[in-house]
Amino acid sequence: MKKYFFLPFFLIQILVFAQTSERNLSSEKWQFKSAKENKWLPANVPGTVHLDLMKNKIIPDPFKDENEKKVQWVENEDWWYQTKFKISSTELNNQNIELVFNGLDTFSEIYLNGKLFQVTDNMFRTWKIPVKQYLKSGENILKIKFKSSVNVGKELAKKVAFTMPESPRSFVRKAQYQFGWDWGPRLVTAGIWKEVKLEFWNNAQLENIKIEQKNVTEQKAELNIFTEIFADKEGQYFLAFNNKTNTVHLRKGKNAIQIPFTIENPKLWQPNGWGNPNVYHIKVSLKKDSKILAEKTETIGLKTIELIQEKDGKGKSFYFKVNGKPLYAKGANWIPGDSFSPRMTKEKYHQLIKACKEAHMNMIRVWGGGIYEDDEFYKACDENGILVWQDFMFAGSFYPADENFLQNVKAEVKDQVQRLQNHPSIALWCGNNEIDEAIVNWGYQKQFNYSKEDSLQVWKDYKKLFHEVIPNAIQEFAIHDKQIYWESSPSIGWGHKESLTEGDSHYWGVWWGEQPFEISNEKVPRFASEYGFQGMPSLETIKFMFSGEPELRLQNGTVKAHEKHAKGWEIIEKYMQRDYFVPKDFVKYNYVSQLLQARGMQIAIEAHRRSKPYNMGTLYWQLNDCWPVVSWSSIDYLGNWKALHYQVKRSFENQVIFTEEKDGILNFYGVNDEPKKFEDVFIEIQVIDFNGKIINEITTVPDGKILDEIIRFDPIEIENIISDDHKNNAFLNLILKDKNQQIIAQNLHFFAKPKDLKLLKPNIKIRKISATEIEVSTDVFAKDIYLIGNTHFSDNFFDLLPETAKKIKLSVPLEKIEVMSLWDTISP
């Protein structure tokens, strides 16, 4: 016979009081409407007003056709959101109930059961509001009014005596790229862009956890765990870390607790290419009377990181030392993955960061005109060994420094530093993107007719914000080993010679300055944190720009609308004429534009890496896109690798062989970024014509100078390698080998630009090995083989030597694969 036991009602209440719980209000039925309308329409939370308008078929998709211009009215409207939810008497009996908004975009008024109880003015802050007094048992109504950020920004701008550039976006603490950029549309949106929930808690609550490395040896890691606990009731509590319990006495109110914690036989978190990014999970539990009040799990990695700036004979170094060793930083700049951030999925974050790892990157810079990314982004970086250079969200303008603005920014920095600092991937906090340079070099003062007093005020405001408020907040809220701060990227504008001898550099002589790609061989900085060149996206993404049947023409209005740089097409054409035949066919033009982009970045990347240790970092602009567009990205909006990303994967290999032509001499460099050293290496050089005939063979050995894992080999006079007659119809096959004849790296060197090569028509064959693997072969040399199909190819846009074959894997099977090579762009 079964026995049933019933708890008295007062004991049930005690159990409720003993635990923290939450309700996700995002899953409730939400509605929205324009402040000018009466009709409520269904909405999604998290979301944005543009997405809700699209779902209700009120606006067309602004990513399609030329629809962006048709939706500009949305930014000037005010919008209401509302939901109804029920609260039980049991829930209402909790001691504390807080309404938590993880993200509101941006100027909002929050009403609960008809009462205004909070206004917000920052997209990047978490709003945690006690609401027990506003709730009632039964049905409750939550309403939020979003004011137009453009209109509010204009009103704030009027309070400043002079015109601010890019006004009014700099007055608004929201994602700056929403106001339009030279790679992104203007879609100034509003809404509940992150989750909203109710938290119920009793007695005490964990508010913040930060974990500091005190000392790490092979035997043990000594940590300090700092917790902030808010207690409603004074008394004895128990704080456990991975079930190791400590007794703590909490007073009523906020308590700061510091407790040591040890990890035996620790494994370090290593950046990609150096080893495993080992992580540890630390579960923090707060208990009272054997009941769990709150629990959180933090993921950490054990590593040391330093930013090294030391004067030398050429200026001042700029590099990161990780786990006691200099790291050559290889990577890209990250922009938001969508113009509508709530659309970014966990899968897309991991796909993009995995692509970074596959391309041998170890660092990514989160650019200051976007957003502080979702936790999933940093989790992906943690797991893949990708260090994060984290900008604060200020970019390319002047910013105010009144007391309200500064306090708002301080709260923003607190929220983001506390949220992100335990991630092992975080390497550096950077105050802003290009604001120092904007003040010094962009001529805004002259353009807007500033007085001397106006100009002085701009610098005063700049220093207050980026020299005082932000770094002081980092020191206050970040643990000691997560306080590396860099005021502005770049530190010196690219027009000044010092930009190449110290600090980080954004070199835009290529593209903006319209200098030839080869200028990158001369303009090598200490750390390249931005440089780039545009290329078209994949054909699949071009077709995605159209709502109907795509018309693939360069002069098509849709195609032109998806190039946001005013001179973009003109600059691409100018560079293409320098280095390639310019195809008239759209598909071929698309292909060559990608090759052009990849060629420009290859020249820059190899120049940077050859200059190690003078140069110790190369982060190109940019990794990804926020919509389908012609841009500087290496991966387009749909996730397709452009020719650039395939080339980056080759140029970022940990062990490579590079060449440099200079004054009739060919120089050779072996570059090694792995902990394992080069030993007893040499280069085999074959001169091969396009038919496959070996014209010459030479071996060269190190010249005896090995510096920071870069080996310079004995240079060779070009005339001793190849005759003038063969410079257009032959190439060098360079093979770096060790003493056991094992191939370490391989590369090709050409003596002419692509348009000057006398290529032969290749007979390229594709043999199916399995549903997801093929073999590509050719009879004569085939340059830049392009495999076309709706799948991800493990390699693409590659050269293939005569009478050789290459195996390629496919992400999904294809019945038909089209192929072309550079020869197809020069044939009639």
Side-chain angles (χ1 to χ4, degrees):
M1 178 178 176
K2 294 182 179 178
K3 293 184 178 180
Y4 296 90
F5 297 91
F6 296 91
L7 289 171
F9 180 76
F10 74 89
L11 286 181
I12 295 175
Q13 295 301 304
I14 290 173
L15 290 178
V16 171
F17 281 179
Q19 294 185 350
T20 298
S21 61
E22 65 180 44
R23 286 250 321 261
N24 186 353
L25 295 185
S26 304
S27 58
E28 301 288 340
K29 288 185 178 179
W30 285 85
Q31 297 175 307
F32 86 111
K33 71 181 186 70
S34 165
K36 296 177 180 177
E37 302 291 336
N38 294 319
K39 184 180 179 182
W40 290 92
L41 299 168
N44 288 334
V45 172
T48 74
V49 67
H50 286 83
L51 293 177
D52 291 328
L53 289 167
M54 277 190 277
K55 186 177 180 181
N56 286 278
K57 302 189 185 312
I58 295 172
I59 63 169
D61 186 343
F63 285 15
K64 302 286 188 179
D65 307 320
E66 298 179 63
N67 291 340
E68 178 196 354
K69 63 184 73 169
K70 297 178 182 178
V71 303
Q72 293 307 303
W73 62 271
V74 176
E75 69 179 40
N76 297 310
E77 301 294 316
D78 296 342
W79 300 94
W80 280 94
Y81 278 75
Q82 74 169 13
T83 190
K84 298 177 182 179
F85 61 94
K86 290 184 178 180
I87 291 289
S88 68
S89 58
T90 302
E91 288 175 317
L92 203 55
N93 281 333
N94 281 277
Q95 294 168 1
N96 298 278
I97 308 174
E98 292 175 332
L99 183 59
V100 181
F101 291 95
N102 287 320
L104 291 170
D105 182 10
T106 291
F107 296 98
S108 78
E109 298 172 352
I110 306 172
Y111 297 82
L112 188 55
N113 296 324
K115 295 179 181 178
L116 172 66
F117 66 96
Q118 181 73 49
V119 295
T120 76
D121 58 357
N122 191 322
M123 176 181 177
F124 305 123
R125 288 176 59 183
T126 298
W127 303 92
K128 198 169 189 177
I129 313 153
V131 291
K132 181 172 179 176
Q133 62 178 315
Y134 301 101
L135 291 169
K136 60 184 180 181
S137 181
E139 187 174 82
N140 293 262
I141 300 176
L142 176 63
K143 287 187 176 183
I144 306 162
K145 181 181 181 180
F146 290 96
K147 294 183 178 180
S148 161
S149 291
V150 171
N151 293 339
V152 174
K154 288 177 180 177
E155 290 302 311
L156 292 170
K158 291 177 182 177
K159 298 179 181 180
V160 177
F162 48 88
T163 303
M164 299 276 259
E166 303 292 338
S167 185
R169 73 167 171 84
S170 57
F171 292 90
V172 180
R173 292 311 301 140
K174 72 183 271 128
Q176 303 285 274
Y177 80 110
Q178 291 184 2
F179 293 83
W181 226 266
D182 53 9
W183 39 258
R186 183 180 175 100
L187 295 167
V188 186
T189 192
I192 307 168
W193 75 290
K194 289 192 173 186
E195 285 194 339
V196 52
K197 59 187 177 181
L198 280 173
E199 288 186 351
F200 307 90
W201 62 276
N202 303 284
N203 294 318
Q205 183 186 46
L206 281 171
E207 291 199 337
N208 181 43
I209 301 165
K210 51 187 180 182
I211 302 170
E212 182 178 59
Q213 285 182 199
K214 188 177 177 183
N215 187 43
V216 179
T217 66
E218 291 184 2
Q219 289 73 38
K220 65 180 178 179
E222 296 176 337
L223 310 175
N224 281 325
I225 301 181
F226 299 88
T227 58
E228 290 181 4
I229 302 172
F230 192 92
D232 245 6
K233 183 179 178 181
E234 183 172 357
Q236 181 175 285
Y237 293 77
F238 300 96
L239 194 59
F241 304 124
N242 287 358
N243 298 318
K244 296 178 182 178
T245 302
N246 305 270
T247 303
V248 294
H249 183 86
L250 301 181
R251 66 182 183 274
K252 188 172 182 177
K254 185 165 287 188
N255 297 261
I257 308 293
Q258 174 184 341
I259 294 177
F261 186 80
T262 300
I263 297 174
E264 303 291 341
N265 303 312
K267 295 181 179 178
L268 295 180
W269 185 93
Q270 300 284 10
N272 184 34
W274 278 15
N276 295 323
N278 299 295
V279 297
Y280 292 88
H281 305 288
I282 299 179
K283 184 179 180 181
V284 182
S285 302
L286 178 64
K287 302 178 183 179
K288 184 173 177 59
D289 302 328
S290 301
K291 306 301 182 186
I292 297 174
L293 301 181
E295 283 187 327
K296 289 185 179 181
T297 298
E298 296 290 336
T299 300
I300 66 166
L302 302 174
K303 77 173 193 306
T304 62
I305 186 163
E306 305 166 77
L307 176 60
I308 307 298
Q309 296 184 83
E310 297 174 337
K311 289 185 178 181
D312 55 30
K314 297 179 180 178
K316 187 190 290 185
S317 67
F318 188 102
Y319 69 92
F320 294 91
K321 186 180 282 188
V322 179
N323 297 331
K325 297 179 293 185
L327 176 80
Y328 189 91
K330 297 177 291 189
N333 286 257
W334 171 281
I335 67 166
D338 202 297
S339 287
F340 306 122
S341 296
R343 238 178 2 192
M344 277 294 287
T345 63
K346 173 181 176 179
E347 291 73 23
K348 189 168 182 178
Y349 275 121
H350 284 266
Q351 177 192 34
L352 286 166
I353 298 302
K354 183 184 177 186
C356 293
K357 181 179 181 180
E358 290 176 358
H360 312 290
M361 297 184 194
N362 55 30
M363 180 173 280
I364 195 159
R365 173 178 174 240
V366 179
W367 169 74
I371 62 173
Y372 306 95
E373 289 295 338
D374 187 82
D375 290 336
E376 206 62 49
F377 167 84
Y378 301 95
K379 182 174 181 283
C381 292
D382 295 342
E383 294 172 351
N384 288 283
I386 308 297
L387 289 162
V388 176
W389 170 312
Q390 178 68 55
D391 280 8
F392 289 100
M393 295 301 116
F394 302 88
S397 183
F398 303 167
Y399 286 82
D402 58 87
E403 192 58 30
N404 287 338
F405 190 88
L406 295 178
Q407 289 303 313
N408 199 358
V409 170
K410 182 179 179 180
E412 171 186 324
V413 173
K414 176 185 177 182
D415 283 356
Q416 297 302 332
V417 166
Q418 289 185 340
R419 179 174 73 96
L420 300 176
Q421 65 179 324
N422 288 333
H423 285 280
S425 54
I426 293 292
L428 169 142
W429 310 103
C430 180
N432 66 76
N433 173 77
E434 295 187 347
I435 297 177
D436 184 302
E437 181 173 5
I439 294 172
V440 175
N441 295 327
W442 292 0
Y444 283 136
Q445 293 88 334
K446 184 177 180 181
Q447 178 183 344
F448 295 115
N449 197 28
Y450 281 15
S451 67
K452 183 179 179 180
E453 290 74 21
D454 295 340
S455 296
L456 289 172
Q457 187 64 46
V458 167
W459 267 118
K460 183 180 177 181
D461 291 348
Y462 176 85
K463 290 179 179 179
K464 186 70 177 177
L465 183 56
F466 298 109
H467 288 223
E468 297 179 32
V469 171
I470 292 178
N472 289 347
I474 292 170
Q475 286 192 335
E476 182 177 351
F477 302 117
I479 51 181
H480 180 72
D481 53 334
K482 288 291 177 68
Q483 292 186 359
I484 301 175
Y485 176 70
W486 188 240
E487 169 200 312
S488 182
S489 181
S491 50
I492 302 171
W494 65 269
H496 302 267
K497 63 179 182 180
E498 292 83 5
S499 69
L500 301 177
T501 61
E502 60 183 272
D504 71 315
S505 172
H506 295 188
Y507 181 69
W508 286 104
V510 170
W511 184 264
W512 281 100
E514 300 184 22
Q515 294 292 313
F517 290 146
E518 290 74 18
I519 196 72
S520 296
N521 292 318
E522 303 171 25
K523 304 293 185 178
V524 176
R526 305 309 291 260
F527 192 103
S529 51
E530 260 196 41
Y531 59 96
F533 193 86
Q534 281 196 355
M536 294 178 74
S538 65
L539 290 171
E540 180 189 3
T541 300
I542 292 283
K543 293 173 183 177
F544 182 79
M545 297 173 182
F546 294 81
S547 58
E549 187 66 27
E551 182 189 354
L552 302 183
R553 254 185 340 109
L554 286 178
Q555 296 307 314
N556 176 273
T558 293
V559 175
K560 291 174 72 175
H562 287 74
E563 161 63 272
K564 302 301 290 184
H565 189 282
K567 293 179 61 180
W569 290 115
E570 177 186 332
I571 295 172
I572 291 171
E573 184 87 3
K574 183 177 292 187
Y575 276 87
M576 194 180 290
Q577 289 172 357
R578 292 174 183 172
D579 287 6
Y580 291 87
F581 286 102
V582 180
K584 294 181 180 178
D585 174 79
F586 183 89
V587 173
K588 292 178 181 178
Y589 192 96
N590 174 277
Y591 161 60
V592 173
S593 84
Q594 292 195 44
L595 295 181
L596 180 73
Q597 180 190 28
R599 172 174 164 79
M601 293 300 92
Q602 178 186 6
I603 290 171
I605 290 170
E606 295 187 0
H608 297 162
R609 295 191 69 192
R610 287 196 311 263
S611 300
K612 182 181 177 181
Y614 178 84
N615 171 278
M616 285 296 289
T618 180
L619 311 178
Y620 66 87
W621 183 269
Q622 64 208 60
L623 177 74
N624 58 319
D625 283 326
C626 66
W627 77 315
V629 64
V630 181
S631 82
W632 294 266
S633 71
S634 62
I635 300 177
D636 69 25
Y637 175 70
L638 295 184
N640 299 300
W641 288 24
K642 293 157 71 170
L644 172 56
H645 206 79
Y646 287 102
Q647 182 56 53
V648 165
K649 183 178 178 181
R650 298 177 201 117
S651 294
F652 276 176
E653 285 272 8
N654 282 336
Q655 295 178 316
V656 288
I657 177 70
F658 293 146
T659 56
E660 177 192 33
E661 282 188 57
K662 199 170 185 179
D663 302 325
I665 301 292
L666 196 60
N667 299 296
F668 305 89
Y669 303 81
V671 182
N672 179 26
D673 291 335
E674 293 184 0
K676 187 174 112 177
K677 297 182 180 296
F678 277 150
E679 290 183 3
D680 299 323
V681 294
F682 63 95
I683 303 174
E684 284 185 359
I685 305 170
Q686 297 175 324
V687 184
I688 306 175
D689 71 15
F690 292 160
N691 275 308
K693 179 182 177 182
I694 297 177
I695 300 169
N696 194 3
E697 290 186 278
I698 301 172
T699 298
T700 185
V701 297
D703 64 4
K705 300 173 186 175
I706 301 178
L707 183 62
D708 286 328
E709 295 311 308
I710 183 165
I711 300 178
R712 301 175 191 275
F713 292 82
D714 286 335
I716 302 175
E717 292 187 17
I718 294 173
E719 63 182 18
N720 293 333
I721 302 176
I722 190 170
S723 67
D724 290 341
D725 293 342
H726 284 111
K727 286 183 178 178
N728 293 339
N729 61 16
F731 58 91
L732 303 188
N733 182 28
L734 310 167
I735 308 171
L736 181 65
K737 292 185 175 182
D738 64 18
K739 62 182 178 182
N740 299 318
Q741 297 289 319
Q742 293 295 311
I743 296 176
I744 299 171
Q746 195 166 355
N747 204 352
L748 303 182
H749 179 86
F750 298 88
F751 292 93
K753 290 185 175 185
K755 71 177 182 180
D756 296 323
L757 296 175
K758 296 180 180 178
L759 296 170
L760 304 174
K761 181 180 180 180
N763 182 19
I764 300 171
K765 295 182 178 179
I766 298 176
R767 180 174 70 87
K768 184 177 179 180
I769 298 175
S770 70
T772 56
E773 188 173 19
I774 59 174
E775 182 184 76
V776 183
S777 62
T778 181
D779 54 346
V780 298
F781 176 71
K783 183 149 188 59
D784 300 317
I785 290 177
Y786 176 31
L787 302 172
I788 306 172
N790 191 14
T791 188
H792 175 71
F793 297 99
S794 60
D795 199 5
N796 209 347
F797 302 93
F798 56 85
D799 295 340
L800 198 57
L801 273 60
E803 300 297 340
T804 62
K806 184 181 183 71
K807 291 181 179 178
I808 304 290
K809 291 184 178 180
L810 286 63
S811 60
V812 294
L814 281 183
E815 286 299 317
K816 182 182 179 183
I817 299 172
E818 295 182 55
V819 63
M820 70 171 66
S821 71
L822 191 62
W823 183 87
D824 294 293
T825 70
I826 61 175
S827 58

